[in-house]
Amino acid sequence: MKIALVHNFGHNNLVQNFGPSFGAATGSGGDADEAVLGQALALGGAGHEVRLVAAGLGRDPLSVLRAFAPDVVHVHQLSPGFGRARLPEWTGPLVATLPEPGPPRARRLPFTRGGRGGARTDPLLRRADRVIVPSELGRETYERAGLPPERITVLPHCVPAAESSPGGDVWVCAGRLAAEENVLDLVRRWPAGRRLDVLGTGPLEQACRAAAPASVRFLGEATRPVLRRALPGYRGLVLPGRWRTGTVPLFYPEALAAGLPVLAFEGSAAPRAVRADGTGTVTGWDAPLPAALDAADRIFPTLREHCRGVHAKKYGEAAWAERVERLYAGLIATAPPAP
């Protein structure tokens, strides 16, 4: 099928055809750009004709869509004002992916401002035949904002597979060094002599450095590709964040892709995923951390292949493509004839 993926791509002028065989496309704009590019690769690898359509201030993607004539238009994380105005005029099947809502105190939902209708009055979301959210937190949040539950589909982002490695004796923690990620609490409790690499920057970086033992290294900010290449060489991923009550961070499936088991702290959705998937261990903030690390040392080497299997089944590119193909096919089958 012909599929158009519409996104602002970090304000880059990126319009690219993808087919079963193609070279890599690059752009800037952060994780959202990489997620859309990864999905284009997954769909292209499944044999579909995919076009990335750049939207943004001053861009009208509707003319490009009409020239391409796709079977499905899939809009990704467009904020109001970023090329969304005319998209509701599209008459064919239309899917919209919404971003994670984030922590409650900083939550900004991608709806048109003004009025009290929330999602019900947003032209694009009112027009979309299906809305995709990456987690149950997204489903709950957007339902409360007015989206009909029957039009919401939970579909986590896919991440690519990584090279196999026997791992090492160093742990890794990746994320923003801010209060909601709890990295400061983690390094305060981290036992001296245990090696930990911290990837990321943020307002608490100096406090984290001052509180950490000498066995903790702060490696600064890493791009997604660099992180994914580095993960297979670690012992395990530590997820200390507590504010993500309904979602699992992208680091979780990225770790599984690398065969990396996870040590998750209670207080977020990550422990629930780790227990359900059998991909690591869970500890609490009141429990002794050295004992949790000792237990992980015993079992984590035996979990690496299992973690890769869970990634392939739930978060791999082929699994994502298969699920979204079924969604697209259902919309195409029930769409009215083209005018």
Side-chain angles (χ1 to χ4, degrees), residues 73 95 122 189 331:
V73 172
V95 178
D122 182 274
R189 292 167 170 80
L331 296 178

Side-chain angles (χ1 to χ4, degrees), residues 315-329:
Y315 305 102
E317 293 172 318
W320 182 89
E322 182 180 352
R323 289 188 62 187
V324 83
E325 281 171 345
R326 291 198 299 268
L327 187 153
Y328 292 161

